[in-house]
Amino acid sequence: MLPLLAGVALGCGGGGGSSPPLPPPGGGPVILRVDPASGPFTKLADAVAEAQRLQTATAGLEVLIEILGTGRETLQSNLALDGGDGTNGGRIRITSSTAYEILTGLFDVIVASQTSLQGVDVVLGGGRVQVNNGTFQPRKVTLNDPRSNILVNGNTAVLEGDLGQLAQILCRQFLDPCVQISGNSRVSGISSIVSKTGGVGIGTTPGSNPTLENNTILLQALGTLAVRYSDNSGGIFRNNQIEGDPPTAGAGLVLQARQAGTSGTTGIQLDGAGSIPSIQSNRIGVGRIAGSVGIRILQGTQARTISGNTFLARGEGVGVAIQAAPGTPDAVVAAYLAGNTFQGNFAQRVTGEPAPTPTPTLRPPPTPAPTPSPTPTPTPTPSPTPTPPVLGTGPIQVTLSWNTIDDLDLYVTDPKQQTVFFNNPAIPSGGRLDVDANRDCVGATTSPVENVFWISTPPTGLYIIDVRLFRRCSQVTAPIPFTVTVRKSGNVAQTFSGLATSPGLAGRFTFSFP
């Protein structure tokens, strides 16, 4: 046992042997050392297991795990770092000043309360990083699998670069946003590089109000989006930099974008009327590619806090700096122009598209029609009935159905506060979204359904169902009736109904499992 700082250094020979007596609570941290070559712990997972054993034995114990040697560790199970819920005053801190890499495979790295993980590189090959009210300060995270991303959950969760340095988040393949945020957490000091068409760098869940500051987001593929705020989410977005035009070297991306016409990139997208983040003091580079937009507001004509930002148009300037929602008043557009700086040649700096109005049909003067000879009336041939989608089922199945072409969305939150929805179609407890009807009004049907089901045994407790109207896909403004059916092991357990009238939350329901 060697003294170090104010603590006690412990070694267990890679998990074996006995530990010396523990110091009393408040006497400084117990220090566990990880060195892949010489030990005493050769794997971080072994040191974490020992830290949790020690904390169980001594309430209020603080454990510092120091990674001293360079190495690579492939997880054989979830790496769950949890220093407790605060009741015992315990804490686990993990630091590395060396090149130590964690390969996750299908397993997760869970950084929970009273816990910090600093200085490591993480390569996600199917698993996720869940920052659940803990602190995650990596050097680099690489997303190599469509199922992988970083979930930042809770009001005290922190994702930021290690020791004041920008942390690289390499978004190569994914289905969800690279970083998905819920709650009032903070993301700072990351450099997110989005290189897959259709990808999203950072996304929020409904009701979240995070602080996003001092980040850089580089969009390296057409059709990418740096930041997406879901409806009823806000918070602060400040001192960030977005480079929205992919590089041209050897790729011919500019030519391809001009041919497509609308396949540029988007800096920040506000999905609903309730998307109201404060967007201040950022640098947003857009404009070289046709269809590129700095800030796109899909719904809501009220003024947002968008001020002090610098929009930079590249090259010929064929993009739009701020695209306001249809029908936005001229006074709001003028406020955006006055409150921000525009450099370079934009196709438009701020556009407030007028609300659509029906085009009158000119009717020619009537002319007498010749009397037709009677002909047999053909028997009408019925239109083919669309084949209904095959819905996944399991221990829990939640199905939303309605009868218009509008875009409604289904959200289901499990007892662990993980939400499955269109931007997060798979959660760790086994919840999956397999049918998302009328999405963005594309391929709309009048008999749509959305379906969430569990592929494994769900956690016990209370589940929350939210139904939201994302967008109307027609000029009809009548309320939209909907039904939610909850099945357990294939049998109908509960049904709920409601009316969606305006964009946003249309209904909230609960059920319990089992």
Side-chain angles (χ1 to χ4, degrees):
M1 181 171 67
L2 299 175
L4 181 62
L5 300 177
V8 178
L10 302 181
C12 300
S18 59
S19 299
L22 298 177
V30 169
I31 299 173
L32 308 180
R33 293 185 177 127
V34 177
D35 189 325
S38 58
F41 291 95
T42 58
K43 293 183 178 181
L44 174 59
D46 292 338
V48 168
E50 176 66 5
Q52 292 172 335
R53 187 190 71 79
L54 295 176
Q55 285 195 324
T56 300
T58 306
L61 183 66
E62 181 177 355
V63 179
L64 172 62
I65 299 175
E66 292 184 328
I67 302 176
L68 302 178
T70 298
R72 171 180 292 186
E73 179 174 349
T74 301
L75 296 183
Q76 303 301 316
S77 61
N78 289 345
L79 183 62
L81 316 177
D82 192 349
D85 59 6
T87 57
N88 64 359
R91 184 181 180 196
I92 297 177
R93 292 181 293 143
I94 300 173
T95 65
S96 175
S97 58
T98 62
Y100 194 82
E101 186 174 84
I102 298 174
L103 309 175
T104 68
L106 294 174
F107 301 109
D108 296 338
V109 177
I110 303 169
V111 186
S113 64
Q114 303 292 314
T115 304
S116 64
L117 174 60
Q118 181 183 67
V120 301
D121 297 349
V122 179
V123 179
L124 298 173
R128 299 183 173 194
V129 174
Q130 298 181 46
V131 188
N132 300 337
N133 284 319
T135 299
F136 182 43
Q137 297 174 298
R139 266 194 298 259
K140 181 169 68 174
V141 180
T142 304
L143 310 179
N144 278 338
D145 190 282
R147 296 164 291 185
S148 296
N149 69 345
I150 304 174
L151 305 176
V152 184
N153 305 316
N155 295 332
T156 62
V158 174
L159 169 64
E160 63 184 357
D162 175 39
L163 299 177
Q165 303 296 316
L166 289 176
Q168 279 194 324
I169 312 294
L170 303 178
C171 312
R172 294 173 179 170
Q173 292 183 333
F174 50 87
L175 299 174
D176 305 325
C178 303
V179 178
Q180 181 77 54
I181 305 174
S182 64
N184 303 336
S185 46
R186 179 166 63 89
V187 174
S188 176
I190 68 169
S191 174
S192 182
I193 302 173
V194 186
S195 57
K196 186 172 178 63
T197 297
V200 179
I202 300 175
T204 69
T205 61
S208 55
N209 294 283
T211 297
L212 309 178
E213 57 187 353
N214 304 319
N215 303 294
T216 67
I217 304 174
L218 177 62
L219 305 178
Q220 290 189 329
L222 300 174
T224 49
L225 198 161
V227 181
R228 181 173 190 170
Y229 283 89
S230 62
D231 196 13
N232 294 324
S233 66
I236 298 172
F237 187 85
R238 66 187 172 202
N239 298 327
N240 301 286
Q241 179 168 336
I242 297 173
E243 182 58 59
D245 290 329
T248 59
L253 293 179
V254 173
L255 175 61
Q256 180 182 349
R258 288 175 183 158
Q259 290 172 341
T262 58
S263 54
T265 58
T266 300
I268 305 169
Q269 181 167 299
L270 310 183
D271 278 356
S275 306
I276 51 171
S278 174
I279 303 174
Q280 297 179 302
S281 304
N282 304 285
R283 290 175 61 85
I284 304 175
V286 296
R288 185 177 64 212
I289 294 177
S292 64
V293 178
I295 299 177
R296 175 180 280 121
I297 304 172
L298 294 181
Q299 299 181 51
T301 59
Q302 76 275 23
R304 262 72 168 200
T305 302
I306 303 176
S307 63
N309 304 285
T310 300
F311 295 87
L312 302 99
R314 311 299 192 189
E316 298 175 4
V318 291
V320 176
I322 303 176
Q323 187 179 79
T328 298
D330 291 343
V332 173
V333 174
Y336 293 154
L337 283 169
N340 298 283
T341 301
F342 305 89
Q343 299 179 5
N345 299 317
F346 286 98
Q348 288 179 290
R349 292 184 176 181
V350 181
T351 173
E353 300 174 358
T357 56
T359 303
T361 303
L362 300 178
R363 303 194 177 199
T367 56
T371 303
S373 302
T375 55
T377 302
T379 302
T381 302
S383 301
T385 302
T387 303
V390 177
L391 306 181
T393 187
I396 293 176
Q397 179 186 354
V398 182
T399 305
L400 166 67
S401 59
W402 66 104
N403 59 0
T404 72
I405 64 171
D406 303 296
D407 185 1
L408 271 64
D409 287 317
L410 174 64
Y411 296 70
V412 182
T413 302
D414 70 11
K416 298 181 178 179
Q417 302 303 305
Q418 299 291 319
T419 302
V420 56
F421 67 112
F422 67 89
N423 243 6
N424 192 38
I427 58 176
S429 64
R432 301 289 186 269
L433 172 73
D434 64 338
V435 179
D436 182 7
N438 295 355
R439 181 165 185 169
D440 294 325
C441 303
V442 176
T445 173
T446 56
S447 54
V449 297
E450 298 215 351
N451 191 66
V452 169
F453 68 102
W454 262 255
I455 60 174
S456 56
T457 302
T460 298
L462 184 69
Y463 288 72
I464 301 173
I465 302 169
D466 283 347
V467 177
R468 294 177 176 270
L469 172 56
F470 180 74
R471 183 180 302 164
R472 287 189 181 269
C473 303
S474 69
Q475 299 299 316
V476 178
T477 59
I480 305 165
F482 63 83
T483 301
V484 177
T485 304
V486 178
R487 292 179 174 84
K488 297 180 180 178
S489 300
N491 300 315
V492 175
Q494 289 174 274
T495 58
F496 309 97
S497 60
L499 294 174
T501 56
S502 58
L505 183 64
R508 172 165 289 178
F509 316 98
T510 61
F511 69 94
S512 297
F513 183 85

